[in-house]
Short mmCIF file of all heavy atoms in Angstrom, two decimals:
data_model
loop_
_atom_site.label_atom_id
_atom_site.label_comp_id
_atom_site.label_asym_id
_atom_site.label_seq_id
_atom_site.Cartn_x
_atom_site.Cartn_y
_atom_site.Cartn_z
N PRO G 42 9.54 10.88 -1.88
CA PRO G 42 8.73 11.55 -0.86
C PRO G 42 7.42 12.07 -1.48
O PRO G 42 7.43 12.67 -2.55
CB PRO G 42 9.62 12.71 -0.41
CG PRO G 42 11.01 12.24 -0.69
CD PRO G 42 10.90 11.41 -1.94
N GLY G 43 6.33 11.76 -0.81
CA GLY G 43 5.01 12.18 -1.30
C GLY G 43 4.36 11.20 -2.26
O GLY G 43 3.25 11.44 -2.72
N SER G 44 5.03 10.09 -2.56
CA SER G 44 4.45 9.09 -3.47
C SER G 44 3.27 8.37 -2.81
O SER G 44 3.26 8.18 -1.60
CB SER G 44 5.49 8.04 -3.85
OG SER G 44 6.52 8.58 -4.61
N PHE G 45 2.33 7.98 -3.62
CA PHE G 45 1.18 7.23 -3.16
C PHE G 45 1.12 5.89 -3.87
O PHE G 45 1.60 5.74 -4.99
CB PHE G 45 -0.13 7.98 -3.47
CG PHE G 45 -0.48 9.03 -2.49
CD1 PHE G 45 0.19 10.25 -2.49
CD2 PHE G 45 -1.47 8.83 -1.55
CE1 PHE G 45 -0.12 11.23 -1.58
CE2 PHE G 45 -1.80 9.81 -0.63
CZ PHE G 45 -1.11 11.02 -0.65
N VAL G 46 0.53 4.92 -3.18
CA VAL G 46 0.15 3.66 -3.81
C VAL G 46 -1.36 3.54 -3.68
O VAL G 46 -1.97 4.14 -2.81
CB VAL G 46 0.85 2.44 -3.14
CG1 VAL G 46 2.33 2.47 -3.40
CG2 VAL G 46 0.56 2.37 -1.66
N HIS G 47 -1.95 2.79 -4.56
CA HIS G 47 -3.38 2.52 -4.50
C HIS G 47 -3.52 1.04 -4.18
O HIS G 47 -3.14 0.19 -4.99
CB HIS G 47 -4.06 2.87 -5.83
CG HIS G 47 -4.10 4.32 -6.09
ND1 HIS G 47 -5.26 5.04 -6.12
CD2 HIS G 47 -3.11 5.22 -6.31
CE1 HIS G 47 -4.99 6.31 -6.36
NE2 HIS G 47 -3.69 6.43 -6.47
N LEU G 48 -4.06 0.74 -3.00
CA LEU G 48 -4.17 -0.64 -2.55
C LEU G 48 -5.59 -1.14 -2.68
O LEU G 48 -6.54 -0.45 -2.31
CB LEU G 48 -3.74 -0.76 -1.08
CG LEU G 48 -2.32 -0.34 -0.74
CD1 LEU G 48 -2.07 -0.49 0.75
CD2 LEU G 48 -1.32 -1.15 -1.53
N ARG G 49 -5.73 -2.36 -3.18
CA ARG G 49 -7.03 -3.01 -3.18
C ARG G 49 -7.13 -3.76 -1.86
O ARG G 49 -6.32 -4.62 -1.55
CB ARG G 49 -7.17 -3.97 -4.35
CG ARG G 49 -8.60 -4.54 -4.43
CD ARG G 49 -8.80 -5.35 -5.64
NE ARG G 49 -8.03 -6.59 -5.48
CZ ARG G 49 -7.99 -7.54 -6.38
NH1 ARG G 49 -8.63 -7.41 -7.51
NH2 ARG G 49 -7.28 -8.63 -6.15
N CYS G 50 -8.13 -3.41 -1.07
CA CYS G 50 -8.27 -3.95 0.28
C CYS G 50 -8.92 -5.32 0.32
O CYS G 50 -8.61 -6.12 1.20
CB CYS G 50 -9.09 -2.98 1.13
SG CYS G 50 -8.38 -1.33 1.19
N HIS G 51 -9.82 -5.57 -0.59
CA HIS G 51 -10.58 -6.82 -0.58
C HIS G 51 -11.21 -6.99 -1.97
O HIS G 51 -11.62 -6.00 -2.58
CB HIS G 51 -11.67 -6.74 0.49
CG HIS G 51 -12.31 -8.06 0.79
ND1 HIS G 51 -13.29 -8.60 -0.01
CD2 HIS G 51 -12.10 -8.95 1.77
CE1 HIS G 51 -13.68 -9.76 0.49
NE2 HIS G 51 -12.96 -10.00 1.57
N PRO G 52 -11.30 -8.22 -2.48
CA PRO G 52 -11.89 -8.42 -3.81
C PRO G 52 -13.31 -7.87 -3.93
O PRO G 52 -13.74 -7.50 -5.02
CB PRO G 52 -11.89 -9.94 -3.99
CG PRO G 52 -10.82 -10.43 -3.09
CD PRO G 52 -10.80 -9.48 -1.92
N LEU G 53 -14.06 -7.81 -2.82
CA LEU G 53 -15.43 -7.30 -2.88
C LEU G 53 -15.50 -5.78 -2.75
O LEU G 53 -16.58 -5.22 -2.81
CB LEU G 53 -16.28 -7.97 -1.79
CG LEU G 53 -16.45 -9.48 -1.96
CD1 LEU G 53 -17.22 -10.07 -0.78
CD2 LEU G 53 -17.15 -9.80 -3.27
N ARG G 54 -14.37 -5.14 -2.56
CA ARG G 54 -14.30 -3.67 -2.55
C ARG G 54 -13.69 -3.25 -3.88
O ARG G 54 -12.49 -3.35 -4.07
CB ARG G 54 -13.45 -3.15 -1.40
CG ARG G 54 -14.08 -3.34 -0.05
CD ARG G 54 -13.19 -2.67 1.00
NE ARG G 54 -13.66 -2.92 2.33
CZ ARG G 54 -14.48 -2.11 2.98
NH1 ARG G 54 -14.91 -1.00 2.42
NH2 ARG G 54 -14.87 -2.40 4.21
N PRO G 55 -14.51 -2.77 -4.82
CA PRO G 55 -14.01 -2.51 -6.17
C PRO G 55 -13.02 -1.35 -6.28
O PRO G 55 -12.21 -1.32 -7.19
CB PRO G 55 -15.28 -2.22 -6.97
CG PRO G 55 -16.26 -1.77 -5.95
CD PRO G 55 -15.92 -2.48 -4.68
N LEU G 56 -13.07 -0.41 -5.36
CA LEU G 56 -12.19 0.75 -5.47
C LEU G 56 -10.91 0.55 -4.66
O LEU G 56 -10.94 0.06 -3.54
CB LEU G 56 -12.91 2.01 -4.96
CG LEU G 56 -14.14 2.43 -5.75
CD1 LEU G 56 -14.81 3.62 -5.09
CD2 LEU G 56 -13.77 2.76 -7.18
N ARG G 57 -9.81 0.95 -5.25
CA ARG G 57 -8.55 0.92 -4.51
C ARG G 57 -8.49 2.11 -3.58
O ARG G 57 -9.13 3.13 -3.81
CB ARG G 57 -7.38 0.95 -5.50
CG ARG G 57 -7.28 -0.32 -6.31
CD ARG G 57 -6.10 -0.24 -7.27
NE ARG G 57 -5.89 -1.49 -7.93
CZ ARG G 57 -6.42 -1.81 -9.10
NH1 ARG G 57 -7.19 -0.96 -9.73
NH2 ARG G 57 -6.17 -2.99 -9.64
N ARG G 58 -7.67 2.00 -2.53
CA ARG G 58 -7.51 3.07 -1.55
C ARG G 58 -6.15 3.72 -1.73
O ARG G 58 -5.12 3.04 -1.69
CB ARG G 58 -7.60 2.51 -0.12
CG ARG G 58 -8.91 1.81 0.18
CD ARG G 58 -10.06 2.81 0.16
NE ARG G 58 -11.31 2.17 0.48
CZ ARG G 58 -12.30 2.02 -0.37
NH1 ARG G 58 -12.20 2.43 -1.60
NH2 ARG G 58 -13.43 1.46 0.01
N PRO G 59 -6.11 5.05 -1.96
CA PRO G 59 -4.81 5.72 -2.08
C PRO G 59 -4.19 5.92 -0.69
O PRO G 59 -4.84 6.40 0.22
CB PRO G 59 -5.17 7.06 -2.72
CG PRO G 59 -6.58 7.31 -2.33
CD PRO G 59 -7.22 5.95 -2.18
N ILE G 60 -2.95 5.49 -0.54
CA ILE G 60 -2.25 5.59 0.73
C ILE G 60 -0.83 6.08 0.46
O ILE G 60 -0.15 5.58 -0.43
CB ILE G 60 -2.21 4.23 1.47
CG1 ILE G 60 -3.64 3.73 1.74
CG2 ILE G 60 -1.42 4.31 2.76
CD1 ILE G 60 -3.72 2.38 2.41
N SER G 61 -0.39 7.03 1.27
CA SER G 61 0.96 7.57 1.14
C SER G 61 1.99 6.53 1.61
O SER G 61 1.78 5.83 2.58
CB SER G 61 1.07 8.83 2.00
OG SER G 61 2.38 9.35 1.94
N ILE G 62 3.10 6.47 0.90
CA ILE G 62 4.18 5.56 1.29
C ILE G 62 4.90 6.15 2.49
O ILE G 62 5.35 7.30 2.46
CB ILE G 62 5.16 5.34 0.12
CG1 ILE G 62 4.44 4.63 -1.04
CG2 ILE G 62 6.37 4.53 0.57
CD1 ILE G 62 5.26 4.50 -2.30
N LEU G 63 5.00 5.38 3.56
CA LEU G 63 5.67 5.82 4.78
C LEU G 63 7.19 5.68 4.63
O LEU G 63 7.94 6.60 4.93
CB LEU G 63 5.18 4.98 5.96
CG LEU G 63 5.86 5.18 7.31
CD1 LEU G 63 5.57 6.58 7.84
CD2 LEU G 63 5.39 4.13 8.31
N ARG G 64 7.63 4.50 4.20
CA ARG G 64 9.05 4.22 4.01
C ARG G 64 9.21 3.29 2.82
O ARG G 64 8.31 2.51 2.52
CB ARG G 64 9.63 3.50 5.23
CG ARG G 64 10.01 4.36 6.38
CD ARG G 64 10.69 3.53 7.48
NE ARG G 64 9.75 2.71 8.22
CZ ARG G 64 9.12 3.11 9.31
NH1 ARG G 64 9.32 4.32 9.78
NH2 ARG G 64 8.28 2.32 9.93
N ALA G 65 10.38 3.35 2.20
CA ALA G 65 10.70 2.43 1.11
C ALA G 65 12.16 2.02 1.24
O ALA G 65 13.01 2.82 1.65
CB ALA G 65 10.46 3.09 -0.23
N HIS G 66 12.44 0.77 0.90
CA HIS G 66 13.81 0.26 0.91
C HIS G 66 14.04 -0.43 -0.43
O HIS G 66 13.77 -1.63 -0.58
CB HIS G 66 14.01 -0.71 2.06
CG HIS G 66 15.44 -0.97 2.39
ND1 HIS G 66 16.34 -1.45 1.47
CD2 HIS G 66 16.12 -0.80 3.54
CE1 HIS G 66 17.51 -1.59 2.04
NE2 HIS G 66 17.41 -1.19 3.30
N PRO G 67 14.52 0.32 -1.43
CA PRO G 67 14.69 -0.26 -2.77
C PRO G 67 15.58 -1.50 -2.80
O PRO G 67 15.29 -2.45 -3.51
CB PRO G 67 15.30 0.88 -3.58
CG PRO G 67 14.89 2.12 -2.86
CD PRO G 67 14.85 1.75 -1.41
N ALA G 68 16.67 -1.50 -2.02
CA ALA G 68 17.58 -2.65 -2.04
C ALA G 68 16.93 -3.91 -1.49
O ALA G 68 17.21 -5.02 -1.96
CB ALA G 68 18.84 -2.32 -1.23
N LYS G 69 16.04 -3.76 -0.52
CA LYS G 69 15.33 -4.92 0.05
C LYS G 69 13.97 -5.12 -0.60
O LYS G 69 13.22 -6.02 -0.23
CB LYS G 69 15.20 -4.77 1.56
CG LYS G 69 16.56 -4.85 2.26
CD LYS G 69 16.40 -4.91 3.75
CE LYS G 69 17.76 -5.06 4.40
NZ LYS G 69 17.67 -5.12 5.86
N GLU G 70 13.61 -4.23 -1.53
CA GLU G 70 12.41 -4.34 -2.37
C GLU G 70 11.10 -4.27 -1.61
O GLU G 70 10.14 -4.95 -1.95
CB GLU G 70 12.48 -5.60 -3.23
CG GLU G 70 13.69 -5.63 -4.13
CD GLU G 70 13.73 -6.83 -5.05
OE1 GLU G 70 13.20 -7.90 -4.69
OE2 GLU G 70 14.29 -6.68 -6.14
N TRP G 71 11.04 -3.46 -0.54
CA TRP G 71 9.77 -3.32 0.18
C TRP G 71 9.41 -1.86 0.37
O TRP G 71 10.25 -0.97 0.28
CB TRP G 71 9.78 -4.05 1.51
CG TRP G 71 10.85 -3.72 2.52
CD1 TRP G 71 11.92 -4.50 2.85
CD2 TRP G 71 10.94 -2.56 3.36
NE1 TRP G 71 12.67 -3.90 3.83
CE2 TRP G 71 12.09 -2.71 4.17
CE3 TRP G 71 10.19 -1.41 3.52
CZ2 TRP G 71 12.50 -1.76 5.10
CZ3 TRP G 71 10.58 -0.45 4.45
CH2 TRP G 71 11.72 -0.64 5.23
N ILE G 72 8.11 -1.66 0.60
CA ILE G 72 7.58 -0.35 1.00
C ILE G 72 6.75 -0.57 2.26
O ILE G 72 6.32 -1.69 2.55
CB ILE G 72 6.71 0.31 -0.10
CG1 ILE G 72 5.48 -0.56 -0.40
CG2 ILE G 72 7.51 0.59 -1.34
CD1 ILE G 72 4.44 0.14 -1.26
N GLU G 73 6.55 0.50 3.02
CA GLU G 73 5.66 0.45 4.18
C GLU G 73 4.63 1.57 4.06
O GLU G 73 4.94 2.66 3.59
CB GLU G 73 6.45 0.63 5.48
CG GLU G 73 7.29 -0.57 5.82
CD GLU G 73 8.03 -0.43 7.14
OE1 GLU G 73 8.30 0.71 7.58
OE2 GLU G 73 8.34 -1.48 7.73
N VAL G 74 3.41 1.25 4.49
CA VAL G 74 2.33 2.23 4.54
C VAL G 74 1.74 2.21 5.94
O VAL G 74 1.76 1.19 6.62
CB VAL G 74 1.23 1.95 3.49
CG1 VAL G 74 1.76 2.10 2.08
CG2 VAL G 74 0.61 0.59 3.67
N LEU G 75 1.24 3.35 6.38
CA LEU G 75 0.59 3.49 7.68
C LEU G 75 -0.90 3.68 7.42
O LEU G 75 -1.28 4.48 6.56
CB LEU G 75 1.15 4.71 8.41
CG LEU G 75 0.46 5.12 9.71
CD1 LEU G 75 0.72 4.08 10.80
CD2 LEU G 75 0.97 6.49 10.15
N PHE G 76 -1.74 2.93 8.14
CA PHE G 76 -3.18 3.07 7.95
C PHE G 76 -3.91 2.84 9.26
O PHE G 76 -3.37 2.28 10.21
CB PHE G 76 -3.71 2.12 6.86
CG PHE G 76 -3.66 0.67 7.24
CD1 PHE G 76 -4.78 0.04 7.77
CD2 PHE G 76 -2.50 -0.08 7.07
CE1 PHE G 76 -4.74 -1.30 8.12
CE2 PHE G 76 -2.46 -1.41 7.41
CZ PHE G 76 -3.58 -2.03 7.93
N LYS G 77 -5.15 3.26 9.27
CA LYS G 77 -6.03 3.06 10.41
C LYS G 77 -7.35 2.50 9.88
O LYS G 77 -7.91 3.02 8.93
CB LYS G 77 -6.28 4.38 11.14
CG LYS G 77 -7.17 4.24 12.35
CD LYS G 77 -7.28 5.55 13.11
CE LYS G 77 -8.11 5.34 14.36
NZ LYS G 77 -8.01 6.47 15.26
N VAL G 78 -7.84 1.44 10.50
CA VAL G 78 -9.10 0.82 10.10
C VAL G 78 -10.25 1.63 10.69
O VAL G 78 -10.27 1.89 11.89
CB VAL G 78 -9.18 -0.65 10.57
CG1 VAL G 78 -10.52 -1.26 10.20
CG2 VAL G 78 -8.04 -1.46 9.98
N VAL G 79 -11.19 2.01 9.84
CA VAL G 79 -12.39 2.72 10.28
C VAL G 79 -13.60 2.10 9.60
O VAL G 79 -13.48 1.51 8.54
CB VAL G 79 -12.33 4.24 9.97
CG1 VAL G 79 -11.23 4.92 10.74
CG2 VAL G 79 -12.15 4.50 8.50
N GLY G 80 -14.75 2.22 10.22
CA GLY G 80 -15.97 1.70 9.64
C GLY G 80 -16.23 0.25 9.99
O GLY G 80 -15.38 -0.45 10.52
N ALA G 81 -17.44 -0.20 9.67
CA ALA G 81 -17.86 -1.57 9.97
C ALA G 81 -17.27 -2.53 8.96
O ALA G 81 -17.12 -2.21 7.79
CB ALA G 81 -19.38 -1.65 9.94
N GLN G 82 -16.94 -3.73 9.43
CA GLN G 82 -16.44 -4.76 8.53
C GLN G 82 -16.75 -6.14 9.12
O GLN G 82 -16.96 -6.28 10.31
CB GLN G 82 -14.95 -4.61 8.30
CG GLN G 82 -14.13 -4.56 9.59
CD GLN G 82 -12.68 -4.31 9.29
OE1 GLN G 82 -12.12 -4.98 8.46
NE2 GLN G 82 -12.09 -3.37 9.96
N ASP G 83 -16.80 -7.14 8.23
CA ASP G 83 -16.99 -8.52 8.66
C ASP G 83 -15.67 -9.04 9.20
O ASP G 83 -14.63 -8.41 9.06
CB ASP G 83 -17.41 -9.39 7.47
CG ASP G 83 -18.85 -9.12 7.04
OD1 ASP G 83 -19.59 -8.53 7.84
OD2 ASP G 83 -19.20 -9.51 5.92
N GLY G 84 -15.66 -10.24 9.76
CA GLY G 84 -14.47 -10.84 10.29
C GLY G 84 -13.38 -11.08 9.26
O GLY G 84 -12.21 -11.14 9.57
N ASP G 85 -13.75 -11.20 7.96
CA ASP G 85 -12.73 -11.45 6.94
C ASP G 85 -12.28 -10.16 6.26
O ASP G 85 -11.54 -10.20 5.27
CB ASP G 85 -13.25 -12.44 5.88
CG ASP G 85 -14.39 -11.89 5.06
OD1 ASP G 85 -14.87 -10.77 5.33
OD2 ASP G 85 -14.82 -12.59 4.13
#
Side-chain angles (χ1 to χ4, degrees):
S44 294
F45 278 76
V46 292
H47 290 247
L48 300 179
R49 186 174 70 180
C50 303
H51 193 279
L53 296 176
R54 290 185 185 267
L56 297 176
R57 292 180 172 92
R58 301 294 182 247
I60 300 178
S61 178
I62 296 174
L63 174 66
R64 278 185 286 270
H66 197 302
K69 293 189 177 180
E70 301 184 331
W71 56 254
I72 62 169
E73 288 182 335
V74 296
L75 172 69
F76 69 96
K77 181 175 184 168
V78 177
V79 295
Q82 54 184 311
D83 288 342
D85 66 356

